[in-house]
Amino acid sequence: MEPTATATAADPAAGFDRGRASTPLSRLLLPVPEGYALGADVEGYGNDHEVAAKDAVALFKRMNKGLYGKERRAYEKGIDELGIQGMAMRSYVSQDEDLQVEVLVLRMKDKRKVREFFELRQELADLVGLAEGPRIEGHAENAACFTLPDPERPEDAEDAEQWQDRLRGTVCSAYDGEVLVSVTSAEAGGPHTKAVADLVEKQLRHIESPGEYV
């Protein structure tokens, strides 16, 4: 049976510090889980925000870092065909501040287009050489993650020492019915792919059963 991703009014975030839940779309976002707080602003929109269709399309297109030429055009065409109706966004930061995660939840008109765009993002990730990231438990068919490439290791010893403290990143895409989920992380002090995968799994579980994970 295909999931419907329908939020219910009985799914409030338990307080402002866990994120707002005042609209059907914002209620689909995972309330801030234990061990995290609301993080930094997402593209200047704040750390817990919602935008209408036109702004959602423009914002989502700006997030295609690393794509050029025909790959970029294919990505933007895919966005135009989605029929985006709105986007809610929330950022999370771990208590020790070494992991920042941005989550976007977009509602579309056409479930088939959502699946096709999910598959397009996987193809483009392969084309630009992103390495396969963590697997999302229970979501082998509708979620995929990739790790962002490291910068080249410098030869200079002082620069190499700074390189050891570089930020790492993971990008994940997933879908549930007419809802698309996009996740991007910035990871300090080593990779945090397991923590990112855990957040993605919780986010998908929250969409499947609103109010169950609070």
Side-chain angles (χ1 to χ4, degrees), residues 158-192:
E158 186 175 339
D159 291 340
E161 187 175 343
Q162 293 178 347
W163 181 84
Q164 295 289 348
D165 296 326
R166 68 196 180 280
L167 284 176
R168 294 170 170 86
T170 303
V171 293
C172 301
S173 293
Y175 70 93
D176 184 337
E178 74 280 10
V179 173
L180 180 71
V181 178
S182 180
V183 177
T184 307
S185 75
E187 306 160 26
H192 296 270

Side-chain angles (χ1 to χ4, degrees), residues 1-6 111 142 175-179 204 207-208:
M1 184 174 69
E2 189 166 11
T4 58
T6 301
K111 295 179 182 180
N142 68 322
Y175 70 93
D176 184 337
E178 74 280 10
V179 173
L204 290 171
I207 290 173
E208 291 170 355

